[in-house]
Amino acid sequence: MGFATKAIHTGQEPDPTTGAVTVPIYQTSTYAQDALGRHKGYEYARTQNPTRSALEKNLAALEGGVAAHCFASGLAAIDTTLKLLKSGDHVIVSDNTYGGTYRLFEKVLRNFGLDFSYVDTTESINVENALRDNTRMVFVETPTNPIMAIADLESIGKLTNSLGLRLVVDNTFMSPYFLRPIEFGADIVVHSTTKYLNGHSDSIGGVVITKNSEDADRIGFLQNAVGAIISPFDSFLINRGVKTLAVRMRQHDENGRKVAGFLADHPKVQKVYYPGLPQHPQHERAEKLMTGFGGMIAFETGSLAAARAVLDNVTLCALAESLGGVESLISHPASMTHASVPAEERARLGITDGLVRISVGIEDVEDIIADLDAALQKA
Ligand SMILES: *Cc1c(COP(=O)(O)O)cnc(C)c1O
């Protein structure tokens, strides 16, 4: 079965009681049992919910995992994944990972005895050099946010598999339509479903997809034991969003390539970060790992004043955090998504005050380009 067919059909069987072709929102907290000790597989809705199960079956199939478990946010999914570890364990993390992930690791999980090292995961040697006796997990985000660096997933996957370490990949930026990390050695894939999977900027959610059944059982146990579950209504919205994932991603990619080309040729733009451009340092690797480059672009305007002029003068692109929706969104990483990353660390990662990030939507690309062009004239 092809990707688009799976996205529409897997886990989405007609409702057994009525034949409804769309999985209903089972908005219930509990389920009546037939007799003492006899029930239909559903006891309490933190533990099981049919709307959520439909989504989980679907997302497991799209990533090629044995199971998926959905959570109230991407960060809840990542937090639950880290609960596979115990106090004293060490994790190696991509060095310009999502700001909220960095905050969770540094400001919360460190207090519980986990230790983190941040390395440039575009080279697997950096992961190898950071290994310690107590390293138990490698957490890679690719492409990184907002610089769009592509991790060397293949080499890191071989390394973690040979050492028996868990490789976790945050695949939010590419979605399983363009990248399936399990094919390159990942044990666990996480997403903020808030972004491309839901795709319509109207829900917050997260998912953990597991390659092996031991991890799946433990994540399922934690989903129920910790309780950071997604609601039936959000499950419904994401079920609906995923049905158009293939067509949306194709259009994000087509528009992304055109906007990146426009920016690369623009005199007011000093640098463009987009893996689809031949000058991107990991362009060849991106072509090998991914079947498209998506709609995320960052570009350097040279100064805070120039970035501000662009951000204040766009009219179609909304100035907003987040990404992956049908509408184009534009943001300032240094003061928005990455504000919680210390200034020296931001400078080292290239997250300058002049950097602007755009999540290219699926509007007519001519309109997106005209909007950026007009705003750049003011810079
Ligand atoms: C948004 C995002 C997250 C966090 O997800 P929430 O749904 O906002 O909790 C994690 N990783 C990446 C790459 C993201 O873009």
Side-chain angles (χ1 to χ4, degrees):
M1 222 192 275
F3 187 96
T5 311
K6 275 193 240 171
I8 293 168
H9 292 288
T10 306
Q12 312 290 309
E13 284 81 29
D15 183 52
T17 49
T18 64
V21 293
T22 299
V23 176
I25 303 169
Y26 284 89
Q27 190 68 31
T28 187
S29 62
T30 191
Y31 306 88
Q33 307 194 5
D34 295 336
L36 191 61
R38 200 149 52 80
H39 56 76
K40 301 182 166 70
Y42 296 93
E43 296 149 280
Y44 184 62
R46 176 172 13 84
T47 322
Q48 312 103 346
N49 181 283
T51 320
R52 187 178 88 204
S53 310
L55 176 63
E56 292 176 337
K57 278 188 199 136
N58 187 279
L59 297 180
L62 295 185
E63 283 287 3
V66 296
H69 293 89
C70 286
F71 295 88
S73 69
L75 283 177
I78 293 169
D79 182 59
T80 304
T81 302
L82 271 285
K83 289 190 172 113
L84 290 169
L85 303 178
K86 59 184 193 324
S87 173
D89 289 349
H90 172 246
V91 185
I92 300 170
V93 187
S94 293
D95 67 358
N96 55 352
T97 194
Y98 176 72
T101 302
Y102 179 81
R103 183 177 54 200
L104 170 68
F105 290 178
E106 289 301 303
K107 301 271 168 39
V108 182
L109 295 177
R110 232 178 227 292
N111 295 339
F112 293 85
L114 292 180
D115 197 4
F116 301 91
S117 298
Y118 299 86
V119 306
D120 176 355
T121 49
T122 59
E123 304 294 342
S124 66
I125 186 72
N126 297 328
V127 175
E128 219 169 323
N129 289 339
L131 287 168
R132 298 187 197 156
D133 291 344
N134 59 340
T135 305
R136 293 289 174 268
M137 181 182 281
V138 177
F139 186 99
V140 169
E141 188 179 315
T142 188
T144 55
N145 175 25
I147 296 299
M148 302 302 288
I150 311 291
D152 188 356
L153 263 194
E154 254 185 311
S155 306
I156 296 172
K158 284 193 186 117
L159 179 72
T160 53
N161 286 345
S162 73
L163 297 172
L165 302 175
R166 278 194 193 88
L167 174 59
V168 180
V169 176
D170 183 335
N171 194 27
T172 300
F173 269 39
M174 279 302 117
S175 90
Y177 184 69
F178 287 135
L179 174 66
R180 285 170 302 280
I182 288 173
E183 293 172 4
F184 298 101
D187 301 287
I188 294 179
V189 177
V190 296
H191 283 271
S192 166
T193 61
T194 311
K195 318 295 170 52
Y196 288 106
L197 290 175
N198 180 56
H200 294 73
S201 309
D202 53 11
S203 139
I204 297 277
V207 63
V208 179
I209 297 126
T210 31
K211 183 174 81 177
N212 68 60
S213 47
E214 299 87 81
D215 281 348
D217 289 349
R218 184 69 187 167
I219 293 287
F221 171 82
L222 289 166
Q223 181 188 46
N224 184 51
V226 179
I229 51 161
I230 195 163
S231 73
F233 183 58
D234 286 292
S235 301
F236 164 83
L237 286 173
I238 302 160
N239 268 326
R240 181 158 95 152
V242 167
K243 287 177 188 171
T244 57
L245 183 66
V247 284
R248 283 189 287 108
M249 293 315 291
R250 286 199 283 268
Q251 196 62 47
H252 281 297
D253 184 60
E254 190 180 318
N255 288 2
R257 290 175 200 235
K258 288 184 179 152
V259 171
F262 158 78
L263 290 169
D265 289 340
H266 201 285
K268 297 261 174 86
V269 174
Q270 298 180 353
K271 193 168 181 192
V272 181
Y273 300 90
Y274 183 69
L277 291 173
Q279 61 265 36
H280 185 282
Q282 294 96 33
H283 174 64
E284 276 174 31
R285 179 185 294 160
E287 279 192 312
K288 205 166 150 213
L289 295 175
M290 294 144 36
T291 52
F293 308 109
M296 294 305 298
I297 302 171
F299 60 99
E300 180 57 54
T301 61
S303 68
L304 178 60
R308 192 188 296 281
V310 173
L311 296 164
D312 285 352
N313 286 292
V314 284
T315 56
L316 177 67
C317 300
L319 174 58
E321 296 204 7
S322 200
L323 60 112
V326 291
E327 59 288 287
S328 294
L329 299 177
I330 198 161
S331 68
H332 186 241
S335 66
M336 296 168 74
T337 47
H338 287 64
S340 55
V341 178
E344 324 80 78
E345 183 66 5
R346 281 204 304 269
R348 200 178 63 74
L349 299 172
I351 305 170
T352 61
D353 287 349
L355 192 75
V356 172
R357 186 186 83 174
I358 171 163
S359 168
V360 179
I362 60 172
E363 301 96 338
D364 292 302
V365 71
E366 300 75 22
D367 294 331
I368 302 169
I369 288 175
D371 191 38
L372 290 171
D373 198 23
L376 278 163
Q377 299 311 328
K378 308 248 167 69

